[in-house]
Amino acid sequence: MRAELSAIERLLNSDKTSVRRNPTWDRIHEETGAGSVIGREIRFTHEDRHRLRIYAQSLSGLDPQFDSRAGGRMAVAEYDASEKLSSDSVFGELLVIATAGSARISVQGRDVQTPPGSVISVLPDMLDWDKLRECRLVVIENGAVMPHWSDIRLPGAWKDSVLIYRGHRENLRSVATLVDEHPPETLAFFHDFDPAGLAMACRHGQGVVMVPADWPQLRQDFGPNQPDVHRKQLVQLKSLQNKNRAGDASLIGRMAREQLAVMQEHMVSRKMALAAVSVEELFTGDIASPGLPSR
């Protein structure tokens, strides 16, 4: 994380609009979708630079354009002592969770369910991790959809699931630990339906990925599709295509041909039915019939 933050700070505190590609910048581009890959460079618009600034703030709690991290941990501690950042850091530890259907979590020995339109924020030490491993767990990429979890049309087998935001500060590490320890057969990832989202979901190498159940019918001119977003994710798309073994017949082949990029917010607001697809199925074209969730 330090290398990524330093690279973003250097860019934002200069007048540069491009950087030479290297492993650090490729990771940043893959994670954020910011910038366009042109040959051996990544070029940034004003909007891309703003996205990088917000991303760096979410990782460190500091504004890379105004707050210096120079001077080591003691210098940074001066910022953490401020009322604003101290408060933010406390909330940054909390796991953001919702329960769909009959699923429950246990917090300090008490069973908890969340009504529609609500989530619960829990300190990791207060959550019964053993009981959570008995549940189906869906990791949500975008925290903005969490309050609207009841509009997520999960496949029938997943309608009774615990949903957890993947995190972006201290909670990111806790969620990563939960994912590593969770049984893969009851683990799912719901990300944006675009190259960056699928690449991020595949990185875990286990569990299933939630995708639009009607993906074989999606076209470039589909209402909420954003081809311009897709075209900014060529690095992620190439990494996916390198694993593709079924050409246009696979989900990845369809995504590449139709330049698909459908955000989670659109899938949820439109109540698009989702299907659970294994990582292997993304690249083989062996998805016989995506399962539609029960209404």
Side-chain angles (χ1 to χ4, degrees):
M1 184 176 77
R2 245 179 233 174
E4 285 85 349
L5 286 172
S6 296
I8 292 171
E9 284 178 359
R10 287 194 297 271
L11 174 69
L12 295 183
N13 288 298
S14 72
D15 295 326
K16 292 182 179 179
T17 57
S18 66
V19 297
R20 288 189 65 82
R21 289 182 58 189
N22 59 39
T24 298
W25 273 111
D26 282 347
R27 284 196 302 271
I28 294 170
H29 176 67
E30 183 175 341
E31 181 72 20
T32 66
S36 301
V37 176
I38 310 293
R40 295 184 178 181
E41 290 187 338
I42 303 177
R43 298 179 185 175
F44 302 97
T45 64
H46 176 75
E47 291 75 15
D48 290 326
R49 288 169 66 93
H50 178 69
R51 183 182 298 184
L52 291 173
R53 180 182 175 188
I54 298 301
Y55 175 69
Q57 284 179 293
S58 73
L59 291 178
S60 67
L62 303 177
D63 188 328
Q65 288 189 308
F66 297 102
D67 297 329
S68 172
R69 293 186 303 121
R73 294 186 180 181
M74 292 303 294
V76 175
E78 294 179 10
Y79 293 101
D80 291 334
S82 73
E83 179 181 352
K84 180 180 178 182
L85 289 180
S86 165
S87 165
D88 193 32
S89 180
V90 170
F91 288 110
E93 296 179 12
L94 300 176
L95 303 175
V96 182
I97 298 174
T99 59
S102 62
R104 299 170 182 264
I105 59 172
S106 180
V107 181
Q108 287 194 304
R110 297 184 180 182
D111 283 352
V112 177
Q113 286 184 299
T114 55
S118 68
V119 297
I120 184 170
S121 297
V122 186
L123 285 169
D125 291 344
M126 302 297 179
L127 182 66
D128 187 332
W129 289 36
D130 289 332
K131 184 164 184 177
L132 182 62
R133 282 191 285 270
E134 298 174 2
C135 303
R136 290 184 180 268
L137 181 66
V138 181
V139 181
I140 306 292
E141 176 191 0
N142 193 333
V145 307
M146 284 296 292
H148 307 281
W149 59 264
S150 59
D151 290 328
I152 301 175
R153 289 192 60 199
L154 295 169
W158 292 83
K159 65 180 181 179
D160 301 317
S161 295
V162 174
L163 294 84
I164 185 167
Y165 171 48
R166 74 180 180 99
H168 66 278
R169 295 200 55 175
E170 295 96 330
N171 54 8
L172 188 64
R173 292 188 291 273
S174 296
V175 174
T177 301
L178 282 173
V179 167
D180 288 342
E181 296 180 357
H182 202 82
E185 62 272 14
T186 55
L187 177 65
F189 299 92
F190 179 33
H191 290 236
D192 289 334
F193 187 65
D194 60 8
L198 292 190
M200 196 183 305
C202 291
R203 196 180 304 154
H204 299 281
Q206 60 179 332
V208 298
V209 183
M210 295 293 175
V211 301
D214 64 346
W215 67 264
Q217 284 74 50
L218 294 183
R219 297 290 187 271
Q220 188 175 18
D221 59 0
F222 173 60
N225 187 46
Q226 300 182 48
D228 56 328
V229 172
H230 176 99
R231 288 191 286 270
K232 291 181 179 179
Q233 300 178 1
L234 297 181
V235 171
Q236 298 93 324
L237 180 63
K238 184 177 180 180
S239 71
L240 294 172
Q241 288 180 311
N242 288 339
K243 304 172 187 176
N244 190 16
R245 300 191 299 279
D248 288 349
S250 71
L251 185 152
I252 299 301
R254 162 72 63 175
M255 176 171 283
R257 188 171 70 255
E258 297 293 341
Q259 297 186 14
L260 298 176
V262 183
M263 303 299 103
Q264 282 184 292
E265 294 91 336
H266 291 291
M267 288 186 274
V268 175
S269 64
R270 288 172 174 251
K271 297 183 174 62
M272 294 175 64
L274 301 178
V277 176
S278 71
V279 173
E280 180 74 10
E281 289 171 328
L282 292 175
F283 305 103
T284 61
D286 293 336
I287 311 172
S289 178
L292 297 177
S294 55
R295 292 184 179 274

